[in-house]
Amino acid sequence: MVQINSEFSVRGHRRQLLLGGLLLVLSLVCVAMTIMFVFVNNSANRRVEDIRQQYRTISDRREARVAELTSQLVALQKKLDGLPDRTANKTADKVKQVVTEDAPPESTH
C-alpha cells in the first residue's frame, strides 16, 4: 500500500487549520466589538435624548415664566401710563412743603 498522507501534507493541513481557527477567533472578536459598540451607542443616544428632554422642559418653564413676567410688566406699564403727569409734581410739591415747615427758622445776627 501506498501512503497518501505524507508528513508534508499533514503539516500543510495543520497550518490551514490554525490559520482558519485564528481567522475565526478574529471574526468573533469583531462581532463582539460590533455588538458592544451598538449597545454603548444605543444607551448613549438614550441618555442624550433624556438630557435634551430635560432641557426642553426647563426651557418651556422658563418661557412660561418670561411670558408671565411680560404680562405683569405690560399691566404695570398701563397703570403707570394711566397716572397723570401732574401727580408726580403734586407729590414733589407736598414734600417740599413738609420740608420747609419742619426746617428751623433762620436766625439773623
Side-chain angles (χ1 to χ4, degrees):
M1 271 200 137
V2 178
Q3 187 177 4
I4 299 173
N5 292 334
S6 66
E7 186 66 28
F8 179 74
S9 66
V10 171
R11 284 187 187 170
H13 289 302
R14 188 177 297 158
R15 280 189 204 143
Q16 289 177 351
L17 286 174
L18 287 175
L19 184 61
L22 179 65
L23 291 176
L24 178 66
V25 168
L26 290 176
S27 296
L28 291 175
V29 168
C30 289
V31 168
M33 289 178 65
T34 302
I35 291 171
M36 287 174 32
F37 173 75
V38 168
F39 177 75
V40 169
N41 195 19
N42 189 22
S43 60
N45 285 341
R46 236 182 282 127
R47 269 189 265 141
V48 167
E49 188 58 37
D50 290 343
I51 291 169
R52 285 180 181 160
Q53 183 60 37
Q54 289 173 356
Y55 278 114
R56 277 188 214 115
T57 304
I58 291 169
S59 175
D60 291 342
R61 274 190 264 147
R62 186 180 331 121
E63 288 175 7
R65 181 72 177 143
V66 167
E68 179 186 340
L69 290 174
T70 302
S71 64
Q72 290 176 358
L73 180 66
V74 167
L76 288 174
Q77 188 65 40
K78 285 181 182 178
K79 287 180 183 178
L80 283 175
D81 290 342
L83 292 175
D85 291 334
R86 288 181 279 153
T87 305
N89 292 335
K90 287 181 184 177
T91 304
D93 291 341
K94 286 182 184 179
V95 169
K96 285 180 186 177
Q97 287 175 357
V98 170
V99 169
T100 54
E101 289 174 2
D102 289 344
E106 292 181 18
S107 61
T108 55
H109 289 311

